Coordinates of all heavy atoms in Angstrom, one line a residue:
M1 N 0.9 -1.2 0.0 CA 0.0 0.0 0.0 C 0.9 1.2 0.0 O 1.9 1.3 0.7 CB -0.9 0.0 1.3 CG -2.1 0.9 1.1 SD -2.6 1.5 2.7 CE -4.0 0.5 3.0
R2 N 0.5 2.2 -0.8 CA 1.2 3.5 -0.8 C 0.8 4.4 0.3 O -0.4 4.6 0.5 CB 1.0 4.2 -2.1 CG 1.9 3.8 -3.2 CD 1.4 4.4 -4.5 NE 1.7 5.8 -4.4 CZ 2.6 6.5 -5.0 NH1 3.5 5.8 -5.7 NH2 2.8 7.8 -5.0
T3 N 1.7 4.8 1.1 CA 1.4 5.6 2.2 C 1.7 7.1 1.9 O 1.2 8.0 2.6 CB 2.1 5.2 3.5 OG1 3.5 5.0 3.2 CG2 1.5 3.9 4.1
Q4 N 2.6 7.3 1.0 CA 3.0 8.6 0.7 C 1.9 9.4 -0.1 O 1.4 8.9 -1.1 CB 4.2 8.7 -0.1 CG 4.9 10.0 0.0 CD 5.9 10.2 -1.1 OE1 6.1 9.4 -2.0 NE2 6.6 11.3 -1.0
T5 N 1.5 10.5 0.4 CA 0.5 11.3 -0.3 C 1.2 12.5 -1.0 O 2.2 13.0 -0.5 CB -0.6 11.9 0.6 OG1 0.1 12.5 1.7 CG2 -1.5 10.8 1.1
I6 N 0.8 12.8 -2.2 CA 1.4 13.9 -2.9 C 0.7 15.2 -2.5 O -0.5 15.4 -2.7 CB 1.3 13.7 -4.4 CG1 2.2 12.5 -4.7 CG2 1.8 14.9 -5.1 CD1 2.0 12.0 -6.1
D7 N 1.5 16.0 -1.9 CA 0.9 17.3 -1.4 C 1.3 18.4 -2.5 O 2.5 18.6 -2.7 CB 1.5 17.6 -0.1 CG 1.0 18.9 0.5 OD1 0.3 19.7 -0.2 OD2 1.4 19.2 1.7
E8 N 0.4 19.0 -3.1 CA 0.6 19.9 -4.1 C 1.4 21.2 -3.6 O 2.1 21.8 -4.4 CB -0.6 20.3 -4.8 CG -1.1 19.3 -5.8 CD -0.1 19.0 -7.0 OE1 0.4 20.0 -7.6 OE2 0.2 17.9 -7.2
N9 N 1.2 21.4 -2.3 CA 2.0 22.6 -1.8 C 3.4 22.3 -1.7 O 4.3 23.2 -1.6 CB 1.4 22.9 -0.4 CG 0.0 23.5 -0.5 OD1 -0.3 24.2 -1.4 ND2 -0.9 23.1 0.4
R10 N 3.7 21.0 -1.6 CA 5.1 20.6 -1.4 C 5.6 20.1 -2.7 O 5.6 18.9 -3.1 CB 5.1 19.5 -0.4 CG 6.5 19.1 0.1 CD 6.4 18.2 1.3 NE 5.7 18.8 2.4 CZ 5.7 18.3 3.6 NH1 6.4 17.1 3.8 NH2 5.1 18.8 4.6
R11 N 6.1 21.0 -3.5 CA 6.6 20.7 -4.8 C 8.0 21.4 -4.9 O 8.2 22.5 -4.6 CB 5.7 21.3 -5.8 CG 6.0 20.9 -7.3 CD 5.0 21.5 -8.2 NE 3.7 20.8 -8.2 CZ 3.5 19.7 -9.0 NH1 4.5 19.2 -9.7 NH2 2.4 19.1 -9.0
C12 N 8.9 20.6 -5.4 CA 10.3 21.1 -5.5 C 10.3 22.3 -6.6 O 9.9 22.1 -7.7 CB 11.2 20.0 -6.0 SG 12.9 20.6 -6.3
P13 N 10.7 23.5 -6.1 CA 10.8 24.6 -7.0 C 11.8 24.5 -8.1 O 11.8 25.2 -9.1 CB 11.1 25.8 -6.1 CG 11.7 25.2 -4.9 CD 11.2 23.8 -4.8
K14 N 12.7 23.6 -7.9 CA 13.8 23.4 -8.9 C 13.5 22.4 -10.0 O 13.6 22.7 -11.2 CB 15.1 23.0 -8.2 CG 16.3 23.3 -8.9 CD 17.6 22.9 -8.1 CE 18.8 23.2 -8.9 NZ 20.0 22.7 -8.1
C15 N 13.1 21.2 -9.6 CA 12.8 20.2 -10.6 C 11.3 20.0 -10.8 O 10.9 19.3 -11.7 CB 13.5 18.9 -10.3 SG 12.9 18.0 -8.8
G16 N 10.5 20.6 -10.0 CA 9.0 20.6 -10.2 C 8.3 19.3 -9.7 O 7.1 19.1 -9.9
L17 N 9.0 18.4 -9.1 CA 8.4 17.2 -8.6 C 7.7 17.3 -7.3 O 8.2 18.1 -6.4 CB 9.5 16.1 -8.5 CG 10.0 15.4 -9.8 CD1 11.2 14.6 -9.5 CD2 8.9 14.6 -10.4
A18 N 6.6 16.7 -7.2 CA 5.9 16.7 -5.9 C 6.0 15.4 -5.1 O 5.6 15.3 -4.0 CB 4.4 16.9 -6.2
E19 N 6.7 14.5 -5.7 CA 6.9 13.2 -5.0 C 8.3 13.2 -4.3 O 9.2 13.9 -4.7 CB 6.9 12.0 -6.0 CG 5.5 11.7 -6.5 CD 5.6 10.6 -7.6 OE1 5.9 9.5 -7.3 OE2 5.4 11.0 -8.7
N20 N 8.3 12.4 -3.2 CA 9.6 12.3 -2.5 C 10.2 13.6 -2.0 O 11.3 13.9 -2.0 CB 10.6 11.6 -3.3 CG 10.3 10.1 -3.4 OD1 9.9 9.5 -2.4 ND2 10.4 9.6 -4.6
Q21 N 9.3 14.5 -1.5 CA 9.7 15.7 -0.8 C 9.6 15.4 0.7 O 8.6 15.1 1.2 CB 8.7 16.9 -1.2 CG 8.5 17.1 -2.7 CD 9.8 17.4 -3.4 OE1 10.6 18.3 -3.0 NE2 10.1 16.6 -4.4
I22 N 10.8 15.4 1.3 CA 10.8 15.0 2.7 C 11.1 16.2 3.6 O 11.7 17.2 3.2 CB 11.9 13.9 2.9 CG1 13.2 14.3 2.3 CG2 11.4 12.6 2.3 CD1 14.4 13.3 2.7
N23 N 10.6 16.1 4.8 CA 10.8 17.1 5.8 C 12.2 17.2 6.2 O 12.9 16.2 6.4 CB 9.9 16.8 7.0 CG 8.5 16.9 6.8 OD1 8.0 17.5 5.8 ND2 7.7 16.4 7.7
A24 N 12.6 18.5 6.4 CA 14.0 18.7 6.8 C 14.0 19.7 8.0 O 14.8 20.5 8.1 CB 14.8 19.2 5.7
G25 N 13.0 19.5 8.8 CA 12.9 20.4 10.0 C 12.2 21.7 9.7 O 11.6 21.9 8.7
Y26 N 12.4 22.6 10.6 CA 11.8 23.9 10.5 C 12.9 25.0 10.6 O 13.9 24.8 11.2 CB 10.8 24.1 11.6 CG 9.6 23.2 11.6 CD1 9.7 21.9 12.2 CD2 8.5 23.5 10.9 CE1 8.7 21.0 12.1 CE2 7.4 22.6 10.8 CZ 7.5 21.4 11.4 OH 6.5 20.5 11.3
N27 N 12.6 26.1 10.0 CA 13.6 27.2 10.1 C 13.2 28.0 11.4 O 12.2 27.7 12.1 CB 13.7 28.1 8.9 CG 12.4 28.9 8.6 OD1 11.5 29.0 9.5 ND2 12.3 29.5 7.4
R28 N 13.9 29.1 11.6 CA 13.7 29.9 12.8 C 12.3 30.4 13.0 O 11.8 30.5 14.1 CB 14.7 31.0 12.9 CG 15.5 30.9 14.2 CD 16.5 32.0 14.3 NE 17.7 31.7 13.6 CZ 18.7 32.5 13.2 NH1 18.5 33.8 13.5 NH2 19.7 32.1 12.6
S29 N 11.7 30.8 11.9 CA 10.3 31.3 12.0 C 9.2 30.3 12.0 O 8.1 30.5 12.0 CB 10.1 32.3 10.9 OG 10.1 31.7 9.7
G30 N 9.7 29.0 12.1 CA 8.7 27.9 12.2 C 8.1 27.4 10.9 O 7.1 26.7 10.8
T31 N 8.8 27.9 9.8 CA 8.3 27.4 8.5 C 8.9 26.0 8.2 O 10.1 25.8 8.4 CB 8.8 28.4 7.4 OG1 8.5 29.7 7.8 CG2 8.1 28.1 6.1
Q32 N 8.1 25.2 7.6 CA 8.5 23.9 7.3 C 9.5 23.9 6.2 O 9.4 24.6 5.2 CB 7.3 23.0 6.8 CG 7.6 21.7 6.3 CD 7.9 20.7 7.4 OE1 7.0 20.4 8.3 NE2 9.1 20.1 7.5
R33 N 10.6 23.2 6.4 CA 11.6 23.1 5.4 C 11.5 21.7 4.8 O 11.3 20.7 5.4 CB 13.0 23.2 6.0 CG 13.2 24.6 6.6 CD 14.7 24.8 7.1 NE 15.6 24.9 5.9 CZ 16.8 24.4 5.9 NH1 17.3 23.7 6.9 NH2 17.6 24.6 4.9
C34 N 11.8 21.7 3.5 CA 11.7 20.4 2.8 C 13.0 20.2 1.9 O 13.7 21.1 1.6 CB 10.5 20.4 1.8 SG 9.0 20.4 2.7
V35 N 13.2 19.0 1.6 CA 14.3 18.7 0.7 C 13.8 17.7 -0.3 O 13.1 16.7 0.0 CB 15.6 18.1 1.5 CG1 15.3 16.9 2.3 CG2 16.7 17.9 0.6
C36 N 14.2 18.0 -1.5 CA 13.8 17.1 -2.7 C 14.8 15.9 -2.7 O 16.0 16.1 -2.8 CB 13.8 17.9 -3.9 SG 13.5 17.0 -5.4
K37 N 14.2 14.8 -2.8 CA 15.1 13.6 -2.8 C 15.7 13.3 -4.2 O 16.7 12.6 -4.3 CB 14.3 12.3 -2.4 CG 14.4 12.0 -0.9 CD 13.5 10.8 -0.6 CE 14.3 9.6 -0.2 NZ 13.5 8.5 0.2
F38 N 15.2 14.0 -5.2 CA 15.7 13.8 -6.5 C 16.9 14.7 -6.8 O 17.9 14.2 -7.2 CB 14.6 14.0 -7.5 CG 13.6 13.0 -7.5 CD1 12.4 13.2 -6.9 CD2 13.8 11.8 -8.2 CE1 11.4 12.2 -6.8 CE2 12.8 10.8 -8.2 CZ 11.6 11.0 -7.5
C39 N 16.7 16.0 -6.6 CA 17.8 16.9 -6.9 C 18.5 17.5 -5.7 O 19.4 18.3 -5.8 CB 17.3 18.0 -7.8 SG 16.2 19.2 -7.0
R40 N 18.0 17.1 -4.5 CA 18.7 17.5 -3.3 C 18.5 19.0 -3.0 O 19.2 19.5 -2.1 CB 20.2 17.1 -3.2 CG 20.4 15.7 -3.4 CD 20.8 15.1 -2.0 NE 20.5 13.7 -1.9 CZ 19.9 13.1 -0.8 NH1 19.6 13.8 0.2 NH2 19.7 11.8 -0.8
H41 N 17.6 19.6 -3.7 CA 17.4 21.0 -3.5 C 16.6 21.2 -2.2 O 15.6 20.5 -1.9 CB 16.6 21.6 -4.6 CG 16.3 23.0 -4.5 ND1 17.3 24.0 -4.6 CD2 15.1 23.7 -4.4 CE1 16.8 25.2 -4.5 NE2 15.4 25.1 -4.3
K42 N 17.1 22.2 -1.4 CA 16.4 22.5 -0.1 C 15.6 23.7 -0.3 O 16.0 24.7 -0.9 CB 17.4 22.6 1.0 CG 17.9 21.3 1.6 CD 18.8 21.6 2.8 CE 19.4 20.2 3.2 NZ 20.7 20.5 3.9
Y43 N 14.4 23.7 0.3 CA 13.5 24.9 0.2 C 12.6 24.9 1.4 O 12.4 23.9 2.1 CB 12.8 24.9 -1.1 CG 11.9 23.7 -1.3 CD1 10.5 23.7 -1.0 CD2 12.4 22.4 -1.7 CE1 9.7 22.6 -1.2 CE2 11.6 21.3 -1.8 CZ 10.2 21.4 -1.6 OH 9.4 20.3 -1.7
T44 N 11.9 26.1 1.5 CA 10.9 26.2 2.6 C 9.6 26.3 2.0 O 9.4 26.8 0.9 CB 11.2 27.4 3.5 OG1 11.3 28.6 2.6 CG2 12.4 27.3 4.3
L45 N 8.6 25.8 2.7 CA 7.2 25.9 2.2 C 6.8 27.4 2.4 O 7.2 28.0 3.3 CB 6.3 25.0 2.9 CG 6.5 23.5 2.7 CD1 5.5 22.7 3.6 CD2 6.4 23.1 1.3
N46 N 6.0 27.8 1.5 CA 5.5 29.2 1.6 C 4.7 29.4 2.9 O 3.8 28.7 3.2 CB 4.5 29.5 0.4 CG 5.3 29.7 -0.9 OD1 6.5 30.0 -0.8 ND2 4.7 29.5 -2.0
G47 N 5.2 30.4 3.6 CA 4.7 30.8 5.0 C 3.4 30.1 5.4 O 3.5 29.2 6.3
K48 N 2.3 30.5 4.8 CA 1.1 29.9 5.3 C 0.7 28.7 4.4 O 0.4 28.8 3.2 CB 0.0 31.0 5.2 CG 0.0 31.8 4.0 CD -1.0 32.9 4.0 CE -0.9 33.7 2.7 NZ -1.8 34.8 2.6
T49 N 0.7 27.6 5.1 CA 0.2 26.4 4.4 C -1.3 26.3 4.5 O -1.8 26.4 5.6 CB 0.9 25.1 5.0 OG1 1.0 25.3 6.4 CG2 2.3 24.9 4.3
R50 N -1.9 26.2 3.4 CA -3.4 26.1 3.4 C -3.9 24.8 3.9 O -3.4 23.7 3.5 CB -3.9 26.3 2.0 CG -4.2 27.8 1.8 CD -5.0 28.0 0.5 NE -4.6 29.1 -0.2 CZ -4.0 29.1 -1.4 NH1 -3.8 28.0 -2.0 NH2 -3.6 30.2 -1.9
A51 N -4.8 24.9 4.8 CA -5.4 23.6 5.3 C -6.3 23.0 4.3 O -6.5 21.8 4.3 CB -6.2 24.0 6.6
Y52 N -6.9 23.8 3.4 CA -7.8 23.3 2.4 C -7.3 23.7 1.0 O -6.7 24.7 0.9 CB -9.2 23.8 2.6 CG -9.8 23.5 4.0 CD1 -9.9 24.4 4.9 CD2 -10.2 22.1 4.2 CE1 -10.4 24.1 6.2 CE2 -10.7 21.8 5.5 CZ -10.8 22.8 6.4 OH -11.3 22.5 7.7
S53 N -7.6 22.9 0.1 CA -7.1 23.1 -1.3 C -7.9 24.3 -1.9 O -9.1 24.5 -1.5 CB -7.2 21.9 -2.1 OG -8.6 21.6 -2.4
E54 N -7.3 24.9 -2.8 CA -7.9 26.0 -3.6 C -9.1 25.5 -4.3 O -10.1 26.2 -4.3 CB -6.8 26.5 -4.6 CG -7.2 27.7 -5.5 CD -7.4 28.9 -4.7 OE1 -6.7 29.1 -3.6 OE2 -8.2 29.8 -5.1
E55 N -9.1 24.3 -4.8 CA -10.2 23.8 -5.5 C -11.4 23.6 -4.6 O -12.6 24.0 -5.0 CB -9.8 22.4 -6.1 CG -10.8 21.9 -7.2 CD -10.6 20.4 -7.4 OE1 -9.5 19.9 -7.2 OE2 -11.6 19.8 -7.8
K56 N -11.2 23.2 -3.4 CA -12.2 23.0 -2.4 C -12.9 24.3 -2.1 O -14.1 24.5 -2.0 CB -11.7 22.3 -1.2 CG -12.7 21.8 -0.2 CD -12.1 21.0 0.9 CE -13.0 20.0 1.4 NZ -12.4 18.9 2.2
R57 N -12.0 25.3 -1.9 CA -12.5 26.7 -1.6 C -13.4 27.2 -2.7 O -14.4 27.7 -2.4 CB -11.2 27.6 -1.4 CG -11.6 28.9 -0.7 CD -10.3 29.7 -0.5 NE -9.8 30.2 -1.8 CZ -10.1 31.3 -2.4 NH1 -10.9 32.1 -1.7 NH2 -9.6 31.7 -3.5
R58 N -12.9 27.1 -3.9 CA -13.7 27.6 -5.0 C -15.0 26.9 -5.1 O -16.0 27.5 -5.4 CB -12.9 27.4 -6.3 CG -12.5 28.8 -6.9 CD -11.7 28.6 -8.1 NE -10.3 28.5 -7.9 CZ -9.4 28.0 -8.7 NH1 -9.7 27.6 -9.9 NH2 -8.1 27.9 -8.4
R59 N -15.0 25.6 -4.9 CA -16.2 24.8 -5.0 C -17.2 25.2 -3.9 O -18.4 25.3 -4.2 CB -15.9 23.3 -4.8 CG -16.8 22.4 -5.6 CD -16.2 21.0 -5.7 NE -15.6 20.5 -4.5 CZ -14.6 19.8 -4.3 NH1 -14.0 19.3 -5.4 NH2 -14.2 19.4 -3.1
A60 N -16.7 25.5 -2.7 CA -17.5 25.9 -1.6 C -18.2 27.2 -1.9 O -19.4 27.4 -1.7 CB -16.7 25.9 -0.3
I61 N -17.4 28.2 -2.4 CA -17.9 29.5 -2.7 C -19.0 29.4 -3.8 O -20.0 30.1 -3.7 CB -16.7 30.4 -3.1 CG1 -15.8 30.7 -1.9 CG2 -17.3 31.7 -3.7 CD1 -14.5 31.3 -2.3
K62 N -18.7 28.6 -4.8 CA -19.7 28.4 -5.9 C -21.0 27.9 -5.4 O -22.1 28.3 -5.7 CB -19.1 27.5 -6.9 CG -19.5 27.7 -8.3 CD -18.8 26.9 -9.3 CE -19.5 26.8 -10.6 NZ -18.9 25.8 -11.5
A63 N -20.9 26.9 -4.5 CA -22.1 26.2 -4.0 C -22.9 27.2 -3.1 O -24.1 27.3 -3.2 CB -21.7 25.0 -3.1
Y64 N -22.2 28.1 -2.4 CA -22.8 29.1 -1.6 C -23.6 30.1 -2.5 O -24.7 30.4 -2.2 CB -21.8 29.8 -0.8 CG -22.4 30.9 0.1 CD1 -23.0 30.6 1.3 CD2 -22.4 32.2 -0.3 CE1 -23.6 31.6 2.1 CE2 -22.9 33.2 0.5 CZ -23.5 32.9 1.7 OH -24.1 33.9 2.4
H65 N -22.9 30.5 -3.6 CA -23.5 31.5 -4.4 C -24.7 30.9 -5.3 O -25.4 31.6 -5.9 CB -22.5 32.2 -5.3 CG -21.7 33.2 -4.6 ND1 -22.2 34.3 -3.9 CD2 -20.3 33.2 -4.3 CE1 -21.3 34.9 -3.3 NE2 -20.1 34.3 -3.5
S66 N -24.7 29.6 -5.3 CA -25.9 29.0 -6.1 C -27.0 28.7 -5.1 O -28.0 28.1 -5.5 CB -25.4 27.7 -6.8 OG -25.1 26.7 -5.8
G67 N -26.9 29.3 -3.9 CA -28.1 29.3 -3.0 C -28.0 28.4 -1.8 O -28.9 28.4 -1.0
M68 N -26.9 27.7 -1.7 CA -26.8 26.9 -0.5 C -26.4 27.7 0.7 O -25.7 28.7 0.6 CB -25.7 25.8 -0.8 CG -25.8 24.6 0.0 SD -24.5 23.4 -0.4 CE -25.4 22.5 -1.7
S69 N -26.8 27.2 1.9 CA -26.4 28.0 3.1 C -24.9 27.6 3.5 O -24.4 26.6 3.0 CB -27.3 27.5 4.3 OG -27.0 26.2 4.6
G70 N -24.3 28.5 4.2 CA -23.0 28.3 4.6 C -22.8 27.0 5.4 O -21.8 26.3 5.2
R71 N -23.8 26.7 6.2 CA -23.8 25.4 6.9 C -23.9 24.2 6.0 O -23.2 23.2 6.2 CB -24.9 25.4 7.9 CG -24.5 24.6 9.2 CD -25.5 24.7 10.2 NE -26.7 23.9 9.9 CZ -27.7 23.7 10.7 NH1 -27.7 24.3 11.9 NH2 -28.8 23.0 10.3
G72 N -24.7 24.4 5.0 CA -24.9 23.3 4.0 C -23.6 23.0 3.2 O -23.3 21.9 3.0
V73 N -23.0 24.1 2.8 CA -21.7 24.0 2.1 C -20.7 23.3 3.0 O -20.0 22.4 2.5 CB -21.2 25.4 1.6 CG1 -19.9 25.3 1.0 CG2 -22.2 26.0 0.7
G74 N -20.6 23.7 4.2 CA -19.6 23.2 5.1 C -19.8 21.7 5.3 O -18.9 20.9 5.3
K75 N -21.1 21.3 5.4 CA -21.4 19.9 5.5 C -21.0 19.1 4.3 O -20.4 18.0 4.4 CB -22.9 19.7 5.7 CG -23.3 18.9 7.0 CD -24.8 18.9 7.1 CE -25.2 18.3 8.5 NZ -26.6 18.4 8.7
L76 N -21.3 19.7 3.1 CA -21.0 19.0 1.9 C -19.5 18.8 1.7 O -19.1 17.8 1.2 CB -21.6 19.9 0.7 CG -21.4 19.4 -0.7 CD1 -22.5 18.4 -1.0 CD2 -21.5 20.6 -1.7
E77 N -18.7 19.8 2.1 CA -17.3 19.7 1.8 C -16.5 19.3 3.0 O -15.3 19.1 3.0 CB -16.8 21.1 1.4 CG -17.3 21.6 0.1 CD -16.8 20.9 -1.1 OE1 -15.8 20.1 -1.0 OE2 -17.4 21.0 -2.2
G78 N -17.2 19.0 4.1 CA -16.6 18.6 5.3 C -15.7 19.6 6.0 O -14.6 19.3 6.5
I79 N -16.2 20.8 6.0 CA -15.4 21.9 6.6 C -16.4 22.7 7.6 O -17.6 22.6 7.4 CB -14.9 22.9 5.6 CG1 -15.9 23.3 4.6 CG2 -13.7 22.3 4.8 CD1 -15.5 24.2 3.5
G80 N -15.8 23.5 8.4 CA -16.6 24.2 9.4 C -17.3 25.4 8.7 O -16.7 25.9 7.7
K81 N -18.5 25.7 9.2 CA -19.2 26.8 8.5 C -18.5 28.1 8.7 O -18.5 29.0 7.8 CB -20.6 26.9 8.9 CG -20.8 27.4 10.3 CD -22.3 27.6 10.6 CE -22.4 27.8 12.1 NZ -23.3 28.3 12.8
G82 N -17.7 28.3 9.8 CA -16.9 29.5 10.0 C -15.9 29.7 8.9 O -15.7 30.8 8.4
T83 N -15.3 28.6 8.5 CA -14.3 28.6 7.4 C -15.0 29.0 6.1 O -14.5 29.8 5.3 CB -13.7 27.2 7.2 OG1 -13.2 26.8 8.4 CG2 -12.6 27.2 6.1
V84 N -16.2 28.5 5.8 CA -17.0 28.8 4.6 C -17.2 30.3 4.6 O -17.0 30.9 3.6 CB -18.3 28.0 4.6 CG1 -19.1 28.4 3.4 CG2 -18.0 26.5 4.5
Y85 N -17.7 30.8 5.7 CA -18.1 32.3 5.7 C -16.8 33.1 5.5 O -16.9 34.2 4.9 CB -18.8 32.6 7.0 CG -20.2 32.1 7.0 CD1 -20.7 31.3 8.0 CD2 -21.1 32.5 6.0 CE1 -22.0 30.8 8.1 CE2 -22.4 32.0 6.0 CZ -22.8 31.2 7.0 OH -24.1 30.7 7.0
N86 N -15.7 32.7 6.1 CA -14.4 33.4 5.9 C -14.1 33.5 4.5 O -13.7 34.5 4.0 CB -13.3 32.6 6.6 CG -13.0 33.2 8.0 OD1 -13.4 34.3 8.3 ND2 -12.4 32.4 8.9
W87 N -14.2 32.4 3.8 CA -13.9 32.3 2.3 C -14.8 33.2 1.5 O -14.3 33.9 0.7 CB -14.0 30.9 1.8 CG -12.9 29.9 2.3 CD1 -11.8 30.3 2.9 CD2 -12.9 28.5 2.2 NE1 -11.0 29.2 3.2 CE2 -11.7 28.1 2.8 CE3 -13.8 27.6 1.7 CZ2 -11.4 26.7 2.8 CZ3 -13.5 26.2 1.8 CH2 -12.3 25.8 2.4
I88 N -16.0 33.2 1.9 CA -17.0 34.0 1.1 C -16.7 35.5 1.4 O -16.7 36.3 0.4 CB -18.4 33.6 1.5 CG1 -18.8 32.2 1.0 CG2 -19.4 34.6 1.0 CD1 -19.8 31.5 1.8
R89 N -16.5 35.8 2.6 CA -16.2 37.2 2.9 C -15.0 37.7 2.1 O -14.9 38.8 1.6 CB -15.9 37.4 4.4 CG -17.0 38.2 5.0 CD -16.6 38.7 6.4 NE -15.7 37.9 7.1 CZ -16.0 37.1 8.2 NH1 -17.3 37.0 8.5 NH2 -15.1 36.4 8.8
K90 N -13.9 36.9 2.1 CA -12.7 37.3 1.4 C -12.9 37.4 0.0 O -12.4 38.2 -0.7 CB -11.6 36.2 1.7 CG -10.8 36.5 3.0 CD -9.7 35.5 3.1 CE -9.2 35.4 4.6 NZ -8.6 34.1 4.8
N91 N -13.7 36.5 -0.6 CA -14.0 36.4 -2.0 C -14.8 37.6 -2.5 O -14.7 38.0 -3.6 CB -14.7 35.1 -2.3 CG -14.5 34.7 -3.8 OD1 -13.4 34.7 -4.2 ND2 -15.5 34.5 -4.5
D92 N -15.6 38.1 -1.6 CA -16.5 39.2 -2.0 C -15.9 40.6 -2.1 O -16.4 41.5 -2.6 CB -17.8 39.3 -1.1 CG -18.8 38.2 -1.5 OD1 -18.7 37.7 -2.6 OD2 -19.7 38.0 -0.7
R93 N -14.7 40.6 -1.4 CA -14.0 41.9 -1.3 C -13.6 42.5 -2.6 O -13.2 41.7 -3.5 CB -12.8 41.7 -0.4 CG -12.7 43.0 0.5 CD -11.6 42.8 1.5 NE -12.1 42.1 2.7 CZ -11.3 41.5 3.6 NH1 -10.0 41.4 3.4 NH2 -11.8 41.0 4.7
Ligands
ZN101 ZN1 13.9 18.7 -7.0

């Protein structure tokens, strides 16, 4: 069984691979550091790692604007309604 999941946020900026990106600790500001197993390039993940994917966010906002309640959207996508409202507020700006 494959246990490794490919995290799109964790992609080597040098060779572009998302596989075999391993943790290399944290830097002083607490940002996750990674190292690419293929080209050995070390890099840090962009400051704020998103808990939810961009796709999920867009889908949730779309569902909300098609008439679904924030709570309904949250249930559908498995996220808290607070998060849904946050996204919608940001998106409307
Ligand atoms: Zn690489």
Side-chain angles (χ1 to χ4, degrees):
M1 200 209 259
R2 273 172 68 102
T3 48
Q4 198 196 7
T5 51
I6 295 170
D7 181 353
E8 281 301 311
N9 292 320
R10 191 171 295 193
R11 185 180 281 278
C12 177
K14 201 174 179 188
C15 68
L17 284 167
E19 286 174 74
N20 288 316
Q21 305 301 307
I22 51 173
N23 290 346
Y26 296 88
N27 71 9
R28 232 178 280 164
S29 61
T31 311
Q32 175 77 61
R33 296 184 74 215
C34 294
V35 58
C36 174
K37 263 177 117 178
F38 290 98
C39 70
R40 298 259 156 220
H41 181 66
K42 278 183 189 157
Y43 60 100
T44 52
L45 293 180
N46 288 338
K48 42 184 181 183
T49 36
R50 264 193 222 114
Y52 302 106
S53 72
E54 182 67 26
E55 197 195 329
K56 192 171 210 167
R57 193 178 70 88
R58 247 179 273 163
R59 212 163 46 211
I61 291 164
K62 209 172 160 190
Y64 179 83
H65 285 301
S66 67
M68 204 180 269
S69 71
R71 211 173 74 174
V73 175
K75 235 179 190 176
L76 183 82
E77 298 289 345
I79 50 183
K81 70 172 170 162
T83 307
V84 176
Y85 287 124
N86 264 339
W87 288 345
I88 290 153
R89 244 194 337 253
K90 272 185 202 157
N91 203 51
D92 277 346
R93 218 174 273 164

